Amino acid sequence: MFRTRRTGLVRRLWRSRLIPDAEGGDGSTRTDGTPVTCCLGCGPSAIDAKTRALLEQELKICTYAFLKKLKEKSLDVLLEAVECKGGVPGDCVTVHQTDLQIGGQAASPQYLLCRLFRWPDLALSTQLKALCHCQSFQAPNGQPECCNPYHYSRLCSPDSPPPPYSRMSPTMGSDISGFSPADGSISPSSLANPQWCNVAYWEHRTRVGRLYPVYDPSLNIFYDLPQGTGLCLGQLPPPVRSGAAGRTRAKIGHGILLTKEADGVWAYNRSPHPVFVSSPTLEAPPRCRSPTVRRVMPGYSIKVFDYERSRDVCRCNDPTHPDGPCDPDSVRISFAKGWGPCYSRQFVTSCPCWLEILLNNHR
């Protein structure tokens, strides 16, 4: 049967969704074998096979009907973003605000695609946060919205108790945003923006490379990124590296996206492994010692520094503490490895690869 290229793109996108495990186990897989959960938001054992097949058919009809309304260029953008798992986020795919019917309930296009391709257990569209480079970021109501699922992160729930890990460590990417890879000079575009933080990359107790000043509102920190600019950890001068640091550095992948927004500083985990974060404003109530450490799963984002809460943080500076002085305007992020009472690593300085975000005076 003759098929148009657009129909072929729609079929490829449908085949790239998250699907139930063929053997009916507790996990699920993509067509490439990656384990996930059911695209209907429940485990295979939660409903019987007949009901699941009916729900899957309803979801397919809804997805096909929506995707066939998109232009061929938009389908190309979606397919590239899905197949490279956000390594190349691509352009916005804008649609006018409309409600789709899934299981008898209204849902937005961005909710549908984020649930299909990223988070099968996504319950509400309010759990999504548009990334800073997306045109839906802080867009007023009534404007066309982007439905590219890799232009969104999922908010860490404040209701879930933080795990007893220590802080989380982010990845660092290519040379810092606003700097030339060739000579380290500041680009003219960055001179118009004030410096809002410095970034230091550490392996255990050794700082690798120099402090990197950040001028632009957002910064990618990564080890391996197919497309984009930022701070590349892979280009830093190699220290005398331990085996643990080398193995952890290889897990950084696409790293994190750090953004300065009106209410604070946010981190979005683009890597395939969790990152662990700690800052004085994650405390409840805020205090300087024994800071809370939060685990941020891949695809999630968290406000790592809250400007409003930082006013109540005590300003103590004890140089005798094993983790060093407590800077009330700093954030520590560790890649893949946690620290604290429930780990063999008691302090962030025992983590193989971690970042220190030193914020400038934000008041």
Side-chain angles (χ1 to χ4, degrees):
M1 182 194 305
F2 174 77
R3 295 190 181 95
T4 64
R5 183 172 184 273
R6 178 183 293 185
T7 301
L9 291 171
V10 171
R11 289 171 61 86
R12 285 180 64 186
L13 280 165
W14 175 252
R15 289 197 299 266
S16 298
R17 74 198 186 282
L18 307 183
I19 60 174
D21 189 350
E23 297 188 5
D26 292 336
S28 307
T29 59
R30 288 183 187 268
T31 53
D32 62 3
T34 305
V36 293
T37 54
C38 173
C39 65
L40 300 172
C42 53
S45 59
I47 52 178
D48 61 72
K50 182 177 180 180
T51 302
R52 186 164 61 250
L54 291 174
L55 291 173
E56 183 83 355
Q57 183 62 25
E58 181 182 358
L59 185 65
K60 180 178 181 179
I61 293 172
C62 176
T63 302
Y64 266 63
F66 170 70
L67 292 178
K68 285 181 177 180
K69 295 178 182 179
L70 299 180
K71 296 181 179 179
E72 191 172 296
K73 181 179 178 181
S74 296
L75 293 172
D76 279 325
V77 170
L78 283 177
L79 186 62
E80 182 179 35
V82 169
E83 290 187 338
C84 72
K85 300 180 181 179
V88 182
D91 298 329
C92 288
V93 177
T94 56
V95 294
H96 291 286
Q97 292 184 352
T98 182
D99 284 338
L100 309 172
Q101 293 296 318
I102 305 176
Q105 297 183 344
S108 64
Q110 60 267 34
Y111 170 82
L112 170 66
L113 298 189
C114 284
R115 185 170 163 182
L116 272 177
F117 301 117
R118 301 199 66 188
W119 304 289
D121 61 342
L122 184 66
L124 301 169
S125 59
T126 53
Q127 296 174 341
L128 298 173
K129 182 180 187 296
L131 300 178
C132 61
H133 61 265
C134 178
Q135 75 173 45
S136 292
F137 177 69
Q138 297 181 345
N141 292 331
Q143 296 295 318
E145 294 183 334
C146 174
C147 62
N148 185 332
Y150 283 93
H151 281 198
Y152 291 87
S153 65
R154 187 170 176 179
L155 294 170
C156 288
S157 173
D159 298 326
S160 58
Y165 311 149
S166 54
R167 307 152 201 169
M168 119 184 158
S169 123
T171 71
M172 301 263 274
S174 104
D175 56 304
I176 193 153
S177 178
F179 279 75
S180 164
D183 58 9
S185 59
I186 300 174
S187 65
S189 62
S190 293
L191 294 176
N193 300 320
Q195 178 185 341
W196 61 275
C197 79
N198 286 290
V199 177
Y201 170 65
W202 298 77
E203 292 186 356
H204 298 290
R205 291 181 173 272
T206 302
R207 196 178 82 192
V208 181
R210 58 185 175 86
L211 284 175
Y212 292 89
V214 183
Y215 296 84
D216 292 336
S218 64
L219 172 68
N220 282 304
I221 303 174
F222 56 93
Y223 184 80
D224 179 25
L225 191 63
Q227 178 179 311
T229 60
L231 177 59
C232 179
L233 298 182
Q235 293 183 355
L236 295 178
V240 179
R241 181 167 298 131
S242 70
R247 290 190 297 270
T248 303
R249 202 174 192 182
K251 294 180 179 180
I252 293 174
H254 299 164
I256 63 168
L257 174 65
L258 197 68
T259 59
K260 180 180 184 292
E261 302 181 20
D263 58 345
V265 179
W266 288 77
Y268 165 50
N269 183 9
R270 301 183 66 188
S271 80
H273 298 277
V275 295
F276 299 82
V277 180
S278 176
S279 88
T281 65
L282 290 178
E283 285 294 329
R287 56 187 181 273
C288 288
R289 296 294 81 174
S290 301
T292 296
V293 175
R294 295 290 301 272
R295 179 176 62 173
V296 182
M297 298 300 291
Y300 280 67
S301 64
I302 187 174
K303 189 194 297 184
V304 295
F305 195 87
D306 188 304
Y307 292 152
E308 187 66 28
R309 292 199 65 197
S310 69
R311 299 173 184 174
D312 300 325
V313 173
C314 67
R315 302 201 166 248
C316 60
N317 205 18
D318 180 10
T320 64
H321 192 270
D323 257 353
C326 176
D327 186 343
D329 295 324
S330 70
V331 177
R332 291 171 175 178
I333 302 174
S334 171
F335 294 108
K337 304 296 182 181
W339 72 96
C342 295
Y343 284 85
S344 59
R345 303 171 186 84
Q346 295 298 301
F347 311 110
V348 69
T349 49
S350 300
C351 293
C353 303
W354 57 283
L355 300 173
E356 189 172 25
I357 315 299
L358 303 168
L359 301 171
N360 288 350
N361 192 339
H362 52 269
R363 296 174 177 82

